[in-house]
Amino acid sequence: MSLALGLKQLQLFALCLCLVPRASNADLSFLFGNITLFNVNFKTPALLGRSITVRSNVHIDNSVDPNIQEDSHLNTYSLIKKYGYPAENHTVTTDDGYVLTLHRIARPGATPVLLVHGLLDSSATWVMMGPNKGLGYLLYEQGYDVWMANVRGNTYSRKHIKYTHLHAKYWDFTFHEMGVYDIPKTIDYVLNRTGFPQLHYIGHSQGTVVFWIMGSERPEYMDKIIFMQALAPVAYLKHCKSPVVNFLAEFHASIVLKLIGVHEFLPKNEFIVMFNQLICDETTITKEICSNVIFLTTGFDKLQLNETMLPVVVGHAPAGASTKQMQHFAQVRRSGDFRQFDYGWLRNHWRYNSITPPAYKLENVKAKVALYYSQNDWLAQPTDVEALRRRLPNVVSQYLVDYPEFNHLDFIWGVDARELLWDRMLQNMRSHDTDNTIDTSN
């Protein structure tokens, strides 16, 4: 065995020790190719102060409700249409050539609200839980004209006027380009189509990141926002507890790219195996959770996870991302700063006229903002959210969800999300509407 390979083994072993909490003790091993990198005994993981080992009799098998099985295969448009809501598909082409799909639950003449999904997600996230549990449907029922974005690289936005998704050049983007190109173009399209001068904005996770970037780099768009509501807001990741993000932050690119793909984020089996052993064991809810990279990145909350709907969740997520996008999150974690992509000191100097990438100008985000966050969020830790709040100039509301186990995905999929959060959001939206007499009739 070469010295270089031995060092890689030692590095990976050390990292995984860091990713597992001190009070854990379970059998853990990781194979890379034909080589066992480590095999250590740990206790069941106790992440964020509690064990995620659970008792469950739920199994995803052929006995699943056929209606749920069908929903797991339907796209966003078909889901909306199936449940009797007015569904529309729209297409937006960005200034740099990406062709984006925009979904709408149409209520012409009503105040528009733009929903922007998180990392590895899509527009389906707002409706896939069904009419009684999807925020998209709830907003429509409350009288809003609901628009749901899809950023470049996800299931619904994989086209370009010049490249296909098989070209390396297609995947040369991070969330920076989403904030500079995708969201501004989407906002312009919605406002032009509806005739409104402003819209409501609701972002989850990465959907908040791209808003901060838009405000920083294209501050004129802040005048087009009635009110921005940030669910699980991400900017700083200094205290991030996601083992996937922390792994990507610590390891050299040559190792990482072998595990997650060079252009499109396509984690290999070895990558999934390592993290599902850190997070799950044989008693965890289902194997579907432990093999799904979105859960491995964000974690999950047993009590707020609708187990019956798991086939729908795994049918729609993960929805795609670029490797460069994931590396950018890792850079934010490693640097402790919210700044543009780091190309290395030489290319940085060429692109930015500085050997370090410039920090985003959060002081430019002058739209009214509400921050909603939770204790049990691996990506948006309260300390980091507080750091963000101090930088934003117009935070009008800040709310820590009154449920200690509330998780990053509970903001959109939680069984009790309406009672714990959404009703408060709706009340805040009403207080900022210019016209509080919205018609909720069909």
Side-chain angles (χ1 to χ4, degrees):
M1 185 182 298
S2 68
L3 176 60
L5 183 57
L7 289 174
K8 289 180 181 178
Q9 292 180 7
L10 183 59
Q11 286 178 318
L12 187 56
F13 170 73
L15 173 65
C16 290
L17 285 176
C18 296
L19 294 177
V20 178
R22 295 178 184 174
S24 56
N25 184 5
D27 288 329
L28 185 63
S29 63
F30 174 49
L31 296 175
F32 185 70
N34 296 320
I35 302 168
T36 301
L37 293 187
F38 59 85
N39 190 349
V40 186
N41 188 279
F42 291 116
K43 177 172 91 168
T44 300
L47 296 174
L48 300 182
R50 73 182 184 100
S51 171
I52 60 169
T53 302
V54 298
R55 295 183 178 88
S56 176
N57 296 319
V58 175
H59 301 282
I60 305 300
D61 55 29
N62 292 331
S63 64
V64 171
D65 183 341
N67 202 45
I68 291 176
Q69 287 184 334
E70 181 184 40
D71 286 3
S72 71
H73 298 290
L74 293 178
N75 60 29
T76 302
Y77 173 86
S78 298
L79 280 173
I80 298 168
K81 189 174 182 180
K82 173 184 175 179
Y83 288 104
Y85 289 80
E88 293 181 3
N89 278 324
H90 296 263
T91 300
V92 177
T93 302
T94 66
D95 292 342
D96 60 343
Y98 286 82
V99 182
L100 315 176
T101 298
L102 189 58
H103 292 113
R104 182 188 189 188
I105 311 177
R107 190 184 286 280
T111 302
V113 54
L114 178 63
L115 308 182
V116 183
H117 62 80
L119 177 64
L120 299 169
D121 212 346
S122 74
S123 58
T125 202
W126 308 106
V127 297
M128 66 184 178
M129 289 298 172
N132 296 320
K133 290 293 182 180
L135 182 56
Y137 293 124
L138 177 60
L139 288 164
Y140 175 83
E141 298 289 356
Q142 293 295 314
Y144 291 97
D145 184 14
V146 181
W147 297 77
M148 295 165 285
N150 287 288
V151 297
R152 62 186 65 196
N154 87 354
T155 304
Y156 301 103
S157 298
R158 293 170 70 88
K159 293 182 180 179
H160 190 279
I161 60 175
K162 184 176 181 181
Y163 310 109
T164 75
H165 69 275
L166 300 177
H167 286 91
K169 186 64 177 174
Y170 174 89
W171 296 102
D172 186 19
F173 62 80
T174 81
F175 46 77
H176 176 83
E177 286 75 17
M178 297 171 190
V180 172
Y181 298 112
D182 295 7
I183 304 306
K185 200 69 172 183
T186 298
I187 289 173
D188 284 342
Y189 181 90
V190 171
L191 296 181
N192 288 335
R193 182 83 182 195
T194 62
F196 278 76
Q198 292 181 309
L199 53 72
H200 280 283
Y201 184 107
I202 297 176
H204 172 245
S205 184
Q206 182 183 261
T208 70
V209 175
V210 297
F211 186 88
W212 317 138
I213 293 171
M214 178 177 68
S216 168
E217 305 304 303
R218 305 190 69 174
E220 67 274 14
Y221 278 85
M222 296 298 94
D223 292 333
K224 301 182 181 186
I225 306 300
I226 299 171
F227 184 40
M228 189 283 191
Q229 300 197 82
L231 311 181
V234 174
Y236 300 102
L237 293 169
K238 188 175 182 179
H239 300 88
C240 171
K241 295 188 177 182
S242 167
V244 171
V245 173
N246 290 348
F247 172 85
L248 297 177
E250 293 298 329
F251 269 74
H252 190 275
S254 61
I255 299 176
V256 170
L257 295 180
K258 289 179 182 178
L259 291 170
I260 68 173
V262 177
H263 306 298
E264 182 177 5
F265 181 61
L266 294 170
K268 296 185 178 179
N269 287 337
E270 292 92 341
F271 185 84
I272 298 296
V273 166
M274 176 172 66
F275 290 106
N276 71 31
Q277 291 189 67
L278 284 170
I279 297 172
C280 306
D281 62 23
E282 68 277 4
T283 61
T284 307
I285 299 174
T286 69
K287 292 180 180 178
E288 280 77 3
I289 288 178
C290 295
S291 61
N292 190 311
V293 71
I294 197 168
F295 287 108
L296 299 181
T297 302
T298 66
F300 63 92
D301 171 19
K302 153 71 176 172
L303 297 179
Q304 288 296 312
L305 181 64
N306 187 340
E307 297 169 358
T308 304
M309 298 299 290
L310 269 178
V312 181
V313 171
V314 299
H316 290 275
S322 74
T323 294
K324 187 177 179 182
Q325 181 181 342
M326 300 300 292
Q327 288 178 306
H328 198 172
F329 276 110
Q331 289 179 2
V332 172
R333 170 67 173 95
R334 184 166 56 246
S335 70
D337 295 323
F338 184 46
R339 62 188 191 180
Q340 296 189 35
F341 192 83
D342 191 342
Y343 291 93
W345 69 269
L346 188 59
R347 290 180 66 190
N348 284 344
H349 189 270
W350 175 68
R351 294 179 70 101
Y352 307 130
N353 198 30
S354 169
I355 62 173
T356 58
Y360 288 113
K361 300 178 286 292
L362 290 172
E363 62 274 12
N364 287 347
V365 183
K366 294 183 178 179
K368 294 177 182 177
V369 171
L371 303 175
Y372 306 100
Y373 59 110
S374 65
Q375 292 284 358
N376 191 31
D377 190 330
W378 291 7
L379 291 178
Q381 280 285 288
T383 304
D384 291 330
V385 174
E386 179 59 27
L388 170 64
R389 184 200 64 78
R390 289 195 298 267
R391 293 289 312 281
L392 294 172
N394 200 7
V395 175
V396 297
S397 179
Q398 180 179 357
Y399 180 66
L400 178 67
V401 176
D402 188 19
Y403 178 70
E405 305 300 330
F406 209 70
N407 171 264
H408 195 75
L409 297 175
D410 293 342
F411 286 88
I412 44 172
W413 301 341
V415 172
D416 300 314
R418 179 167 185 174
E419 293 77 12
L420 291 169
L421 178 63
W422 295 350
D423 284 341
R424 176 183 292 266
M425 290 173 55
L426 289 168
Q427 183 179 1
N428 284 342
M429 288 178 74
R430 290 292 188 201
S431 68
H432 290 91
D433 274 325
T434 54
D435 178 9
N436 291 318
T437 58
I438 294 177
D439 180 16
T440 59
S441 62
N442 291 325

Short mmCIF file of all heavy atoms in Angstrom, two decimals, residues 53 190 372:
data_model
loop_
_atom_site.label_atom_id
_atom_site.label_comp_id
_atom_site.label_asym_id
_atom_site.label_seq_id
_atom_site.Cartn_x
_atom_site.Cartn_y
_atom_site.Cartn_z
N THR A 53 -32.29 6.46 16.56
CA THR A 53 -32.78 5.10 16.48
C THR A 53 -34.24 5.10 16.88
O THR A 53 -34.61 5.65 17.91
CB THR A 53 -31.99 4.19 17.42
OG1 THR A 53 -30.62 4.25 17.07
CG2 THR A 53 -32.48 2.76 17.33
N VAL A 190 -42.72 36.52 -13.51
CA VAL A 190 -43.96 36.48 -12.72
C VAL A 190 -44.63 37.85 -12.70
O VAL A 190 -45.85 37.97 -12.91
CB VAL A 190 -43.68 36.00 -11.28
CG1 VAL A 190 -44.92 36.16 -10.40
CG2 VAL A 190 -43.21 34.55 -11.29
N TYR A 372 -37.18 32.29 10.11
CA TYR A 372 -37.76 31.20 10.88
C TYR A 372 -36.73 30.08 10.97
O TYR A 372 -36.25 29.59 9.94
CB TYR A 372 -39.03 30.68 10.20
CG TYR A 372 -40.06 31.74 9.92
CD1 TYR A 372 -40.18 32.28 8.63
CD2 TYR A 372 -40.92 32.20 10.91
CE1 TYR A 372 -41.13 33.26 8.35
CE2 TYR A 372 -41.87 33.18 10.63
CZ TYR A 372 -41.97 33.70 9.35
OH TYR A 372 -42.91 34.66 9.08
#
